[in-house]
Amino acid sequence: MDKKNVKKGIVLSVLFFLPVIFLLFLYPSTNNYNPLEVVKNNVLDIQNLTSANTDVQLEDHITVLTFLGKDPEALVVECSNLKELIYDKFQGFKKFQVISLVSKEAEEAASRLRKELTKYGDLKYWKFVQLDDSDTRKMFNSLRTSEVLDFNLATSKAFIIDKELNQRGRLDSRTKIEKEKGREAYPLTAYNASEVSELKNIMGADDLRVLFTEYRQKRKGEFNSASRRADDLKGDTK
């Protein structure tokens, strides 16, 4: 290969990789101005529930919270989706945990479910917490959601709670096409664990990743708190 062809190859490589490198540098700074929004403040902590006989707490953790109720095994598909698409991806991140709330009488069923899930890997950062029915409802009612618990005190939805006991999500969850059509804004306050695409493409690929980026930037002193305060104010108007 002569020098002319070598030079041409180098120039083409530079032209190809420069835009990619630029986007890699741009993306973290973009996240700095678009944190995952606060949709509800002052979520109850497990430590404040009288029936919770555990040292597990939400404060100072990034938590994916689920409600499995009286029949945890009925939600084995949802839990398997969370294990594969969320837990396995984020379990190495500092202060990350999954908390599943189950009824007092569901201890054996919860144990069987946990055993089933551990076939596919360790659950060191996934805790099953037993509550009585009243405390389960209190916990659920402290969240912002249009969902309701079913007759088993369970739901297929998962919630993101940050270290300061704020529920995180999206105040405007419209797609680009929905915005172009003028659809009215609607929030995303919970994630459907039955929907693989929602866990993979929204909760995992975007929302949790952005939240971890926020806390990483805070540790480095790079987080833009002014934009966060603006988002907090939006959340308080809902």
Side-chain angles (χ1 to χ4, degrees):
M1 183 180 293
D2 57 35
K3 292 183 178 179
K4 185 176 180 180
N5 287 334
V6 171
K7 185 177 180 180
K8 183 178 179 181
I10 293 173
V11 171
L12 289 174
S13 297
V14 170
L15 291 175
F16 176 79
F17 285 108
L18 269 179
V20 176
I21 294 171
F22 174 76
L23 288 173
L24 288 175
F25 278 104
L26 180 63
Y27 186 71
S29 63
T30 300
N31 279 347
N32 186 54
Y33 298 100
N34 295 280
L36 187 61
E37 294 162 309
V38 173
V39 298
K40 177 71 165 56
N41 302 107
N42 302 318
V43 173
L44 273 178
D45 202 340
I46 292 171
Q47 292 293 302
N48 296 326
L49 301 172
T50 56
S51 66
N53 185 21
T54 177
D55 59 357
V56 172
Q57 64 180 42
L58 304 185
E59 188 174 15
D60 198 35
H61 291 80
I62 294 175
T63 304
V64 173
L65 180 66
T66 66
F67 292 77
L68 306 185
K70 299 178 180 180
D71 187 11
E73 291 171 295
L75 292 169
V76 62
V77 172
E78 288 80 359
C79 289
S80 296
N81 290 341
L82 282 169
K83 170 72 170 59
E84 180 180 351
L85 301 171
I86 301 300
Y87 180 84
D88 288 349
K89 183 175 182 179
F90 293 102
Q91 64 172 314
F93 285 75
K94 189 175 182 180
K95 295 294 185 176
F96 172 74
Q97 62 181 0
V98 176
I99 302 296
S100 292
L101 304 182
V102 301
S103 297
K104 291 285 188 180
E105 63 265 35
E107 181 178 1
E108 291 185 7
S111 180
R112 290 194 297 268
L113 174 60
R114 184 181 182 87
K115 186 176 181 179
E116 177 67 23
L117 295 174
T118 53
K119 290 180 180 179
Y120 311 102
D122 180 60
L123 291 182
K124 181 179 179 180
Y125 305 104
W126 190 324
K127 312 296 183 182
F128 290 78
V129 176
Q130 297 175 37
L131 296 177
D132 64 25
D133 294 357
S134 175
D135 278 345
T136 297
R137 292 189 182 94
K138 285 180 183 177
M139 191 72 206
F140 189 78
N141 290 337
S142 76
L143 301 167
R144 178 183 174 185
T145 179
S146 59
E147 304 296 320
V148 295
L149 294 176
D150 65 18
F151 61 93
N152 280 321
L153 296 180
T155 176
S156 62
K157 298 299 179 72
F159 303 83
I160 296 176
I161 313 299
D162 71 17
K163 294 182 180 183
E164 291 78 35
L165 300 179
N166 299 309
Q167 181 183 351
R168 296 296 192 99
R170 303 183 182 194
L171 296 175
D172 184 355
S173 188
R174 291 176 297 174
T175 64
K176 183 179 180 181
I177 294 176
E178 288 173 333
K179 291 178 180 178
E180 291 174 350
K181 291 183 177 180
R183 178 174 176 179
E184 185 178 350
Y186 59 91
L188 175 64
T189 61
Y191 304 80
N192 192 346
S194 300
E195 295 291 336
V196 169
S197 60
E198 188 164 316
L199 292 183
K200 182 178 180 179
N201 300 323
I202 299 177
M203 189 183 198
D206 284 335
D207 292 5
L208 274 172
R209 185 163 56 87
V210 167
L211 183 56
F212 278 106
T213 298
E214 174 187 323
Y215 279 105
R216 184 170 64 249
Q217 290 175 344
K218 283 180 176 179
R219 290 196 301 271
K220 295 180 178 179
E222 300 172 353
F223 181 66
N224 185 340
S225 60
S227 67
R228 169 64 182 275
R229 284 195 297 271
D231 287 333
D232 285 351
L233 291 174
K234 289 180 185 178
D236 287 342
T237 63
K238 294 291 184 175

